[in-house]
Amino acid sequence: MQKKPSHSYPRRPGPPQQVRIIGGDWKRTPLPVLDAFGLRPTPDRVRETVFNWINHQMDADWNQADVLDLFAGSGALGFEAASRGARSVTMVDTVGPVVRQLEQIKDKLKADKVKVLRADALAVARDLAQRGQRFDVIFLDPPYQQDFLSQALPLCAALLKEGGLVYAESGERLPFPEQQGDDMPDEVPEWLQGWELVRGDKAGMVYFHLLKLD
């Protein structure tokens, strides 16, 4: 039997890390980062930029926004959305210690509009689509170099409300022809077809993109 892929987070050396919520009701609240390889919370300055992009697209109307954070990790993206008033935030991760930490943070913040699921992100995406659930914003920040983004993004097409947005973070630039770089293709790969790049940028080794359906 073929082993089922998993976005696991083996331990990493070094002291514990933390990030901070940068806006909304819980502004400056620290979020601990689990001591694990592969768990890379979106840096504060990247989140600030991304949420500015999203605010511009949806006129900062978070009160009516339903949010899905498919590879939640530290919860930095999902809790940021909740802090800004999102109507609902569903966080998904498959790693037990990560999920327990997300639950602890949720309880500490009394984040009643946040739901935390321990489950396979791709399976959850398929299930939610079949049940007809739709979201205004979907965050995709999977472990790098495991090909999760190319599997998850096509599933998001059935999960977005009209005008919805997907934030996608990766270790390399998404291959849209309009992005700068000698290695950018003339045509997008199949898993990117149907998507439009709204904004894209790089910070250090992190490439981050805001997408919507064509």
Side-chain angles (χ1 to χ4, degrees):
M1 180 181 293
Q2 186 176 6
K3 187 177 180 182
K4 188 177 182 179
S6 171
H7 48 100
S8 59
Y9 302 108
R11 292 179 62 79
R12 62 164 164 75
Q17 299 181 350
Q18 66 179 27
V19 293
R20 291 183 180 275
I21 295 174
I22 56 175
D25 293 341
W26 306 321
K27 185 176 181 179
R28 300 190 182 89
T29 299
L31 299 176
V33 177
L34 196 70
D35 184 15
F37 282 116
L39 193 60
R40 313 159 284 84
T42 303
D44 292 0
R45 67 190 183 97
V46 172
R47 267 183 294 122
E48 184 171 10
T49 297
V50 169
F51 275 81
N52 284 341
W53 289 351
I54 296 174
N55 283 342
H56 179 71
Q57 293 292 318
M58 54 189 282
D59 296 325
D61 186 15
W62 286 98
N63 292 331
Q64 300 300 314
D66 296 307
V67 177
L68 176 63
D69 189 355
L70 268 182
F71 301 87
S74 69
L77 291 165
F79 284 120
E80 186 74 47
S83 177
R84 292 165 184 257
R87 178 166 60 187
S88 72
V89 178
T90 302
M91 296 186 182
V92 183
D93 208 288
T94 192
V95 181
V98 170
V99 172
R100 287 192 291 274
Q101 181 167 270
L102 292 173
E103 290 280 12
Q104 291 170 1
I105 296 170
K106 173 187 171 178
D107 291 344
K108 177 182 177 182
L109 295 174
K110 295 181 174 58
D112 297 334
K113 295 180 181 179
V114 172
K115 175 195 282 187
V116 179
L117 302 176
R118 182 179 182 183
D120 176 78
L122 302 179
V124 167
R126 295 186 187 98
D127 181 63
L128 291 173
Q130 289 176 355
R131 290 195 277 130
Q133 285 196 244
R134 299 293 181 265
F135 299 89
D136 299 279
V137 180
I138 300 176
F139 295 122
L140 297 179
D141 182 16
Y144 295 170
Q145 289 126 9
Q146 294 190 41
D147 203 32
F148 284 117
L149 199 57
S150 64
Q151 298 176 68
L153 188 58
L155 299 176
C156 291
L159 288 170
L160 278 182
K161 297 179 186 178
E162 185 176 354
L165 300 165
V166 169
Y167 168 71
E169 188 174 314
S170 64
E172 57 187 22
R173 198 186 311 272
L174 293 188
F176 285 99
E178 61 266 35
Q179 297 221 72
Q180 294 181 351
D182 296 336
D183 58 343
M184 291 298 101
D186 294 330
E187 296 183 4
V188 300
E190 184 177 355
W191 60 274
L192 268 181
Q193 290 177 12
W195 293 95
E196 176 186 340
L197 178 67
V198 179
R199 298 289 298 269
D201 208 341
K202 178 188 178 186
M205 301 301 292
V206 176
Y207 291 88
F208 52 107
H209 317 78
L210 192 64
L211 312 174
K212 65 180 180 180
L213 290 169
D214 286 342

